[in-house]
Amino acid sequence: MKKKVTHFLKKIIKILLYSRYVNLRAVGEVNLTRDEFDRQIDQFRNQSEIHRLPISVIYRVKNGGAYLRLSLESVAYFAKEIVLIDNGSEDRTREIFETVANSFPDVKFQYVQHDVTYARAGENYLADLNAGFPPLSEFYEFAFSHGNQAYLMKMDAHYLFLPAKKEIIERKINKQLPVVKLKIIDVFGRNHGYEPLLFQNKGWYFVDSDEFEVLKFDSPPRFFSSFAGFVWGAAIIHLKRLVKK
């Protein structure tokens, strides 16, 4: 037993030490020339039937037009369902959503108008709650309740998913891991760390901390399945600060 534990710990240390150097598994072969790779990606995009994963991608958006199309198209090549909860947008959010939906007829797109002003995440969150604004936990439970697939995935309008991670995520889902943690990197370099952005559509709920909502489960994942749920290396690029306000 002691040898098994030692061997397991060595594996963990090795992964932690070298995970930052793990290469992305590309959609196409990585050693092709630029033109060859472009042709292979075109073939991938134009295939008559895309192998889709049982994922409902959930967006909560207010005026997300700056990056929304890029974000939607980054997940539309693998998800079976995309849900957008529009929290009072005054820009082209709905138009962009419907344009992308028309480009992917085999994906279920669901648009929900929800004009409720919630407490804002951050250092003034408790003050907003005390002032009577509804909590974000309530908003998130409303939003994620619209997902119909076996897994739910949290996405923001300013998140760009790296499609090269699709194959790794598929393996995690095939193992029926309860939670998959994806690494978010800001476009200017800030490391947001690993977040539980993908999880099974059962036994989940949200509570409130002092600054934002927190995802919880009726049966928290055990250590080994929790560790196995990490997708090493960046999977999400955070674009929010790229466009100057």
Side-chain angles (χ1 to χ4, degrees):
M1 181 64 180
K2 185 177 180 180
K3 288 184 178 180
K4 289 184 178 180
V5 172
T6 302
H7 179 68
F8 176 74
L9 290 176
K10 285 182 178 179
K11 277 191 171 182
I12 292 178
I13 293 171
K14 186 177 180 179
I15 290 173
L16 292 176
L17 286 175
Y18 296 102
S19 62
R20 63 177 296 183
Y21 301 108
V22 173
N23 292 324
L24 291 174
R25 175 60 182 252
V27 173
E29 295 297 326
V30 295
N31 294 321
L32 300 178
T33 67
R34 181 181 66 181
D35 291 338
E36 289 171 338
F37 189 73
D38 285 344
R39 285 193 290 270
Q40 193 166 88
I41 297 304
D42 286 340
Q43 184 179 3
F44 166 77
R45 286 175 170 168
N46 296 323
Q47 58 189 313
S48 57
E49 292 186 8
I50 295 176
H51 176 58
R52 300 196 173 281
L53 306 181
I55 297 175
S56 294
V57 182
I58 310 296
Y59 285 86
R60 301 136 344 278
V61 178
K62 182 174 182 178
N63 297 327
Y67 313 103
L68 183 58
R69 180 161 189 160
L70 277 175
S71 181
L72 289 169
E73 291 188 347
S74 75
V75 297
Y77 287 104
F78 69 85
K80 286 188 175 181
E81 180 178 49
I82 299 176
V83 180
L84 188 145
I85 311 298
D86 192 335
N87 192 221
S89 294
E90 298 175 344
D91 63 356
R92 296 176 55 242
T93 288
R94 182 166 189 169
E95 177 188 343
I96 293 169
F97 184 77
E98 291 174 348
T99 297
V100 176
N102 290 334
S103 300
F104 295 89
D106 57 332
V107 180
K108 180 181 178 182
F109 282 80
Q110 184 182 166
Y111 176 89
V112 180
Q113 190 74 44
H114 186 64
D115 297 335
V116 176
T117 302
Y118 290 90
R120 188 171 181 176
E123 58 187 13
N124 295 320
Y125 187 57
L126 289 180
D128 281 358
L129 293 179
N130 292 332
F133 290 99
L136 285 175
S137 60
E138 181 180 301
F139 184 26
Y140 274 62
E141 293 203 352
F142 171 81
F144 283 86
S145 68
H146 287 77
N148 299 296
Q149 294 297 316
Y151 279 81
L152 303 176
M153 182 175 180
K154 174 189 173 185
M155 280 288 284
D156 290 345
H158 50 268
Y159 281 2
L160 179 67
F161 175 78
L162 300 181
K165 293 294 189 181
K166 174 191 173 183
E167 186 175 318
I168 301 174
I169 286 178
E170 183 173 9
R171 292 202 298 268
K172 306 291 186 183
I173 288 177
N174 289 340
K175 292 178 181 179
Q176 298 185 345
L177 295 176
V179 180
V180 178
K181 296 180 181 180
L182 305 177
K183 187 175 185 178
I184 305 172
I185 297 291
D186 190 274
V187 69
F188 286 104
R190 179 174 180 265
N191 182 4
H192 292 244
Y194 289 88
E195 294 191 13
L197 299 184
L198 181 65
F199 53 93
Q200 286 184 332
N201 191 4
K202 61 181 180 180
W204 57 268
Y205 62 96
F206 289 90
V207 299
D208 293 287
S209 69
D210 290 345
E211 295 189 356
F212 45 77
E213 84 296 331
V214 178
L215 176 64
K216 296 285 187 179
F217 300 95
D218 291 337
S219 300
R222 295 183 177 181
F223 173 79
F224 291 103
S225 62
S226 179
F227 184 78
F230 281 88
V231 175
W232 301 111
I236 301 284
I237 305 300
H238 189 283
L239 300 171
K240 187 175 182 179
R241 297 171 182 86
L242 188 60
V243 173
K244 188 175 181 180
K245 293 183 179 180

